[in-house]
């Protein structure tokens, strides 16, 4: 079937201002709207046999592991405490701002929170525990924006199922790859130059209930017309031709009832997807959008062009914004504190320029251990160890401690709150102690955490920052979207 023209497909292009559709105003972005038919008994999404997640580099198998001797850890922790830099780092230049209460905006009908992070929060266990701690009903917690990291290993999104062909490539902002300086809302794009690339998503919630009758695909319009094939709820394919001014654009799907599944195939590209969006339901009390990407660094905020995001958000989209980076920055050897300080300051400055009215929070990374392989001939109970003097167990601890100090100073200079995961864990050596817990709270790589570990961290932050059900008890009653 030949691609339909705009008139034949009953489409029209408008300057989208949002007030009439229940979306917050996001600026004059060209939006193509199309009516689609949703089914009440839509079949489950079935991924094609050849469907695979986009390729990503997997770390080599580290092989058998061993934990360092507890006495060695404690000895080096003691030495670390005696030589710690303390508060000797130079102060951050700039005027210190008065910091307003972090959750003061919770008095509004909906508390809107946007979180950008690396792999720690991309996994979703930390933020899901924060949601659980509110004691809100499941239907009172919702996401509005979904980043363009569909099918990316290590990322858990609020979608029931995702099918992605191998024709897509990720463009994270921190990687400085083609297209990365104009990233989507989650600081990452999904791009395909191969006609025939496809992706499918099941939009239903965990209970299998469809919730969204309006779904928006955020993408980059090219100079030449784009042609996509869409299928809603397993129905008939519909070819859509997209054309207009080059830049950010929206394809909005409207149905009379909630959409269950959506499949997209690129017939004529290249096509760059920047995310998904849908309206927040009237009874939602907490909107939490999580934009986490494995391997990400805060440098993505420094490298992007702010107009890439301000065009989406011309009104304050969030009451609170959160930035949780540092682990990948600390992995660069040698770590130069002054270089990191300059990068962080430039990144936070861009971040605050986009969200000047939101309360803000910086989260510093937790402790990290040194991964050790078992020596040949040893076993897990009686490993053959290397000479103690050659193993610096505090190698990453020193770096993360310094990163935390720099983040704390930068947060204060920009009027932001600060929470230190490193200190909450127990400081130096806590990575090894958490790994020995039963059940373990630290993963075997001594970088990431187990599910109970992420849950424990969320509980610790909630206690330190006053996050819990009491925040939502006295807030105003929800109001219907316009």
């Amino acid at each position: 079937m030949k691609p339909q023209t705009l008139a034949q497909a009953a489409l029209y292009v408008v300057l989208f201002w949002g007030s009439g559709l229940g979306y917050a105003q996001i600026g004059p972005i060209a939006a193509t709207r199309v009516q689609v038919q949703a089914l009440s008994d839509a079949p489950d999404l079935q991924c094609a046999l050849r469907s695979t997640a986009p390729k990503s580099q997997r770390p080599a198998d580290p092989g058998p592991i061993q934990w360092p001797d507890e006495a060695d850890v404690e000895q080096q922790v003691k030495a670390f405490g005696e030589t710690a830099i303390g508060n000797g780092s130079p102060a951050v230049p700039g005027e210190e701002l008065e910091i307003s209460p972090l959750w003061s905006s919770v008095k509004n009908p909906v508390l809107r929170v946007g979180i950008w992070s690396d792999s720690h929060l991309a996994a979703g266990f930390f933020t899901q525990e924060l949601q659980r701690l509110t004691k809100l009903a499941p239907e009172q917690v919702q996401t509005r924006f979904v980043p363009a990291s569909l099918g990316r290993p290590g990322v858990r999104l609020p979608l029931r199922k995702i099918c992605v062909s191998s024709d897509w490539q990720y463009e994270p902002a921190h990687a400085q790859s083609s297209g990365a300086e104009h990233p989507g809302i989650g600081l990452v794009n999904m791009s395909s130059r191969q006609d025939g690339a496809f992706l499918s998503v099941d939009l239903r919630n965990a209970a299998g209930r469809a919730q969204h009758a309006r779904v928006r695909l955020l993408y980059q319009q090219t100079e030449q017309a784009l042609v996509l094939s869409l299928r809603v709820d397993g129905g008939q394919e519909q070819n859509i031709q997209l054309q207009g001014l080059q830049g950010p654009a929206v394809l909005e799907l409207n149905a009379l009832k909630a959409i269950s599944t959506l499949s997209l195939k690129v017939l004529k590209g290249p096509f760059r997807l920047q995310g998904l969006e849908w309206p927040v339901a009237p009874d939602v009390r907490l909107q939490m959008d999580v934009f986490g990407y494995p391997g990400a660094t805060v440098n993505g905020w420094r490298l992007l062009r702010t107009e890439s995001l301000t065009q989406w958000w011309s009104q304050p989209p969030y009451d609170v914004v959160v930035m949780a980076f540092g682990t990948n920055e600390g992995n660069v050897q040698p770590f130069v504190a002054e270089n990191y300080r300059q990068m962080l300051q430039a990144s936070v400055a861009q971040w605050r320029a986009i969200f000047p009215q939101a309360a803000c929070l910086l989260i510093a990374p937790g402790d990290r251990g040194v991964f050790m392989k078992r020596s040949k001939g040893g076993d897990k109970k009686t490993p053959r160890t290397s000479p103690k003097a050659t193993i610096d167990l505090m190698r990453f601890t020193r770096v993360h401690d310094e990163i935390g100090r720099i983040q704390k100073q930068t947060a204060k200079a920009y009027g932001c709150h600060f929470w230190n995961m490193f200190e909450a864990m127990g400081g130096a050596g806590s990575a090894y102690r958490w790994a020995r817990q039963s059940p373990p709270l630290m993963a075997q790589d001594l970088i990431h955490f187990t599910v109970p570990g992420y849950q424990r961290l969320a509980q610790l932050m909630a206690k330190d920052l006053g996050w819990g059900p009491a925040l939502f008890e006295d807030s105003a009653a929800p109001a219907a979207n316009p």
Side-chain angles (χ1 to χ4, degrees):
M1 182 170 60
K2 295 182 179 180
Q4 299 174 349
T5 65
L6 296 183
Q8 291 171 332
L11 305 178
Y12 54 93
V13 178
V14 298
L15 289 182
F16 181 78
W17 293 96
S19 59
L21 291 177
Y23 295 103
Q25 179 180 332
I26 62 172
I29 295 179
T32 301
R33 299 173 179 172
V34 57
Q35 193 72 24
V36 297
Q37 183 175 2
L39 305 176
S40 57
D41 55 348
D44 289 339
L45 184 64
Q46 299 295 328
C47 296
L49 294 178
R50 294 185 179 180
S51 173
T52 59
K55 297 179 180 179
S56 62
Q57 293 183 349
R58 294 185 178 181
D61 183 1
I65 64 166
Q66 68 180 48
W67 304 127
D69 185 81
E70 291 185 73
D72 293 343
V73 173
E74 292 307 315
Q75 181 179 3
Q76 293 196 28
V77 167
K78 181 179 179 181
F80 169 84
E82 294 172 350
T83 60
I85 299 175
N87 295 319
S89 300
V92 177
E95 181 181 359
E96 293 184 0
L97 305 177
E98 182 179 353
I99 302 177
S100 60
L102 183 57
W103 311 118
S104 59
S105 297
V106 80
K107 60 187 177 182
N108 296 328
V110 182
L111 175 63
R112 304 165 300 170
V113 182
I115 302 174
W116 287 263
S117 173
D118 50 30
S119 59
H120 285 302
L121 272 59
F125 305 116
F126 183 96
T127 50
Q128 284 184 341
E129 181 65 8
L130 287 180
Q131 294 171 11
R132 187 192 69 83
L133 292 172
T134 65
K135 298 189 182 302
L136 294 172
E139 61 272 14
Q140 293 181 301
V141 180
Q142 201 173 91
T143 294
R144 175 183 167 191
F145 289 102
V146 174
S149 51
L150 305 174
R152 174 62 167 85
V155 178
R156 297 175 71 244
L157 299 174
L159 298 168
R160 192 179 184 211
K161 190 173 183 179
I162 302 172
C163 305
V164 183
S165 71
S166 59
D167 309 295
W168 297 90
Q169 294 180 339
Y170 298 109
E171 299 173 340
H174 70 278
Q176 296 182 288
S177 59
S178 174
E181 63 183 11
H182 292 290
I185 48 178
L187 270 64
V188 61
N189 301 319
M190 287 180 69
S191 177
S192 177
R193 298 183 178 277
Q194 182 66 42
D195 293 346
F198 68 89
L199 62 87
S200 300
V201 292
D202 191 325
L203 304 170
R204 289 171 284 201
N205 61 18
R209 182 170 62 88
Q211 298 176 289
H212 313 295
R214 286 178 291 182
V215 178
R216 305 172 71 224
L217 281 72
L218 316 181
Y219 71 99
Q220 281 284 315
Q221 179 65 51
T222 58
E223 292 181 355
Q224 291 76 33
L226 301 167
V227 183
L228 305 178
S229 174
L230 297 179
R231 183 193 297 268
V232 173
D233 289 352
Q236 184 178 3
E237 288 189 359
Q238 184 176 5
N239 292 358
I240 307 297
Q241 180 172 294
L242 301 171
Q243 57 190 27
L245 296 177
Q246 184 175 2
V250 172
L251 172 59
E252 181 178 288
L253 308 180
N254 291 276
L256 297 179
K257 60 180 64 176
I259 298 171
S260 296
T261 65
L262 171 64
S263 297
L264 175 152
K265 180 186 293 185
V266 180
L267 299 182
K268 181 181 178 182
F271 184 70
R272 176 171 287 126
L273 180 68
Q274 297 199 306
L276 304 176
E277 182 195 6
W278 44 69
V280 173
D283 56 348
V284 166
R285 306 296 301 282
L286 172 62
Q287 173 197 324
M288 183 174 286
D289 299 336
V290 182
F291 308 113
Y293 192 85
T297 68
V298 74
N299 201 36
W301 282 99
R302 182 182 69 87
L303 297 174
L304 64 80
R305 297 183 181 179
T306 55
E307 64 268 22
S308 299
L309 297 184
T310 54
Q311 292 183 81
W312 296 116
W313 291 318
S314 60
Q315 281 188 352
Y318 296 112
D319 304 303
V320 178
V321 289
V322 181
M323 182 183 284
F325 296 98
T327 298
N328 296 304
E329 293 89 326
N331 199 43
V332 176
Q333 299 296 318
F335 175 78
V336 181
E338 187 55 34
N339 292 348
Y340 173 73
R341 182 191 308 280
Q342 293 177 10
M343 178 182 68
L344 180 66
Q345 290 176 9
S347 300
V348 172
Q350 293 248 84
W351 183 54
R352 295 301 289 140
I354 295 175
F355 305 111
Q357 300 179 42
C360 50
L361 169 67
L362 268 65
I363 299 178
D367 189 28
R368 175 178 173 179
V370 176
F371 183 85
M372 301 169 62
K373 289 186 178 181
R374 267 203 316 274
S375 301
K376 186 177 181 181
D379 56 50
K380 195 168 184 178
K381 294 184 179 179
T382 58
R384 294 181 182 179
T385 59
S386 302
K388 298 178 182 178
T390 66
I391 304 175
D392 181 5
L393 302 177
M394 299 292 109
R395 173 186 172 190
F396 293 106
T397 295
R398 283 189 292 274
V399 172
H400 283 211
D401 186 45
E402 180 68 6
I403 285 175
R405 275 193 293 272
I406 295 173
Q407 284 200 20
K408 183 176 182 179
Q409 294 167 351
T410 303
K412 189 174 183 180
Y414 284 90
C416 296
H417 294 258
F418 172 74
W419 186 71
N420 196 330
M421 193 181 294
F422 177 87
E423 294 179 354
M425 289 177 63
S430 56
Y432 302 106
R433 294 191 293 271
W434 278 44
R436 293 180 183 273
Q437 295 292 315
S438 182
L441 302 179
M442 202 84 189
Q444 289 188 351
D445 62 6
L446 296 177
I447 304 173
H448 300 90
F449 301 86
T450 61
V451 174
Y454 282 115
Q455 293 170 340
R456 175 72 63 84
L457 288 169
Q459 294 162 9
L460 291 170
M461 192 184 82
K463 181 180 179 181
D464 291 343
L465 300 183
W467 173 270
L471 288 175
F472 300 89
E473 290 176 355
D474 299 327
S475 55
N481 286 338

